[in-house]
Amino acid sequence: MLVSADQVLIGPAGETVPDGAVLVRGSTIVAVGPRSEVEPLAPESARRLSFPGGTLLPGLIDAHVHLCFDGGPEPVASLQNQGDDELLGAMRERALCLLDAGVTTARDLGDRNGLALRLAAEIAEGSARGPRIVSASAPITPPGGHCWFLGGEASGADEIRRQVRRNAAAGARVIKVMVSGGGLTPGGPRPWETQFSTAELEVVVEVARAAGLPVAAHAHGTEGIIAAVNAGVDTIEHCTWMSEDGTIKVRDDVLTTIIDRGIRVCPTVSPHWRMLPQLFGAERAEAMIAGIRYMAEAGVRLIAGTDAGVQRSGFDGLVSSLGFYDHLGLSADRVIAMATAEAADALGLGGHTGRLAPGYSADLLVVDGDPLDDLGRLGDVRTVVAAGRHHHPAQS
């Protein structure tokens, strides 16, 4: 397959090739460069896809989704009212929605009964359509803790070890731990409340490392963020810096450690981020926005994620979510990198996807216009290639 466009965005720093092309063989990129150099390498039998006026770039990565939730007003109730077969069918539809939006890799950070693992296998073998899924399976949480209903409850070091090993044996590619409470669990711990000690989190990290898996830590509260950083997690999800009194204030000493250790932060900005003042009040919303701005300006390696599936967060919202960082004043190339190369690195896939280079997976996105000039152009999807499989989005 030969895919060409007016420009090809090949790297995380906005490097472009005008009138470029990518040659794909099977599921792998074999050549990238000017069309005049790449096209002669394509056999006569190769399928040719040309997109005048378009930009070809790596497929997008949503680093935080929950395919088991429906994005409606009561996602937990909806989940609990569905059996596994019905739920898996709905998850297939949500995966297709991600693919339609140009997402070729999604990290699923919590589902029920290993359904995301089943869906990941279906997509990999070609019996279902969707992005590559990096699944955490059931998130580790204390009894009655945040998202306890997903099946990952564990109390004390021994149970934590067993649950991490159980997830790893099932095929999880990341371990998710609920360090703090959250707003999704009815009657559960509050978002600023810490659920695990640093010592317990060190057990999670130790056992995950032994299995070759990274650790993603759900942490809204400042004390939970500190515990996660001290335990050595790989990514911090949300990282809201909440205190019990309702204030939001970034801790500079902790931020320095996050930067020095290369811990990635996924702020999980909702596609409907402009509603934050209505949901939390103007003062608190501005404090939340200011915290993300402060982390970005300090040099934290941010990655893009939407928390798709929770309230007000659908599976077609990544580009809208990225608009938040444009609003903060981040450059378009940095924002695109957050949803491609940086996210791939954070997911342990930096040598496999997130860039257009020979030997990488053929995960491609073609959009109309130039997203380096107008980030919103990422939503003007013309075609998608995921692991070498061509997909024409329904809305195109």
Side-chain angles (χ1 to χ4, degrees):
M1 182 190 307
L2 180 74
V3 187
S4 59
D6 278 10
Q7 72 170 350
V8 177
L9 179 59
I10 60 173
E15 306 96 324
T16 60
V17 175
D19 191 22
V22 174
L23 181 60
V24 174
R25 182 180 300 124
S27 62
T28 305
I29 296 171
V30 295
V32 180
R35 188 198 313 244
S36 60
E37 297 177 9
V38 176
E39 192 162 22
L41 303 177
E44 290 186 11
S45 60
R47 184 179 185 186
R48 285 165 166 78
L49 302 173
S50 179
F51 297 93
T55 297
L56 171 58
L57 68 154
L60 301 179
I61 299 172
D62 191 331
H64 192 128
V65 307
H66 295 279
L67 288 158
C68 67
F69 296 136
D70 64 3
E74 299 289 343
V76 176
S78 178
L79 167 81
Q80 293 175 329
N81 287 332
Q82 288 183 301
D84 282 358
D85 289 342
E86 182 183 4
L87 181 56
L88 182 57
M91 291 168 65
R92 293 188 186 106
E93 294 177 4
R94 294 162 197 162
L96 183 57
C97 186
L98 285 168
L99 191 61
D100 279 345
V103 174
T104 56
T105 300
R107 185 175 57 157
D108 188 290
L109 288 179
D111 82 297
R112 187 182 75 190
N113 294 339
L115 294 180
L117 292 169
R118 287 176 58 184
L119 180 56
E122 291 179 359
I123 292 170
E125 69 185 14
S127 61
R129 289 186 295 168
R132 172 188 300 104
I133 296 175
V134 177
S135 173
S137 193
I140 314 299
T141 195
H146 184 46
C147 288
W148 61 268
F149 43 81
L150 294 179
E153 291 175 295
S155 177
D158 289 343
E159 288 188 10
I160 289 171
R161 286 190 185 93
R162 282 194 291 270
Q163 185 60 45
V164 174
R165 288 169 179 158
R166 187 178 299 121
N167 284 0
R173 297 176 64 187
V174 58
I175 298 300
K176 170 76 172 297
V177 58
M178 297 297 197
V179 179
S180 75
L184 190 67
T185 303
R190 305 304 299 162
W192 57 82
E193 294 179 332
T194 304
Q195 300 195 131
F196 289 111
S197 67
T198 299
E200 290 172 320
L201 295 175
E202 287 173 343
V203 173
V204 174
V205 172
E206 176 192 353
V207 181
R209 291 280 189 279
L213 300 177
V215 175
H218 163 110
H220 283 290
T222 299
E223 294 306 313
I225 293 168
I226 293 170
V229 170
N230 288 339
V233 303
D234 298 277
T235 68
I236 300 175
E237 312 302 309
H238 313 298
C239 203
T240 321
W241 302 97
M242 286 184 181
S243 296
E244 185 175 355
D245 61 6
T247 59
I248 295 173
K249 182 175 175 54
V250 179
R251 280 271 302 267
D252 284 325
D253 56 333
V254 183
L255 198 65
T256 297
T257 305
I258 289 173
I259 294 168
D260 289 347
R261 294 184 180 178
I263 298 172
R264 291 356 187 260
V265 170
C266 184
T268 60
V269 173
S270 167
H272 302 291
W273 55 271
R274 295 184 185 277
M275 293 175 59
L276 286 174
Q278 297 168 246
L279 299 172
F280 297 102
E283 184 176 349
R284 194 175 190 201
E286 181 49 43
M288 295 167 71
I289 293 169
I292 299 174
R293 179 186 291 113
Y294 191 84
M295 289 191 289
E297 292 176 349
V300 172
R301 298 179 71 175
L302 302 177
I303 58 175
T306 60
D307 217 357
V310 304
Q311 300 97 327
R312 295 177 296 276
S313 188
F315 291 86
D316 58 352
L318 180 57
V319 175
S320 178
S321 175
L322 295 177
F324 170 83
Y325 300 101
D326 185 47
H327 172 73
L328 292 188
L330 274 63
S331 65
D333 61 316
R334 181 177 177 184
V335 178
I336 292 171
M338 287 167 51
T340 54
E342 279 289 338
D345 289 345
L347 272 58
L349 298 173
H352 185 70
T353 191
R355 296 168 174 82
L356 300 183
Y360 276 64
S361 177
D363 301 323
L364 318 176
L365 168 64
V366 181
V367 300
D368 201 29
D370 185 356
L372 291 173
D373 287 337
D374 177 4
L375 200 63
R377 287 291 192 174
L378 291 174
D380 297 330
V381 177
R382 295 178 68 176
T383 205
V384 182
V385 178
R389 299 188 183 104
H390 181 224
H391 174 70
H392 191 66
Q395 71 268 25
S396 294

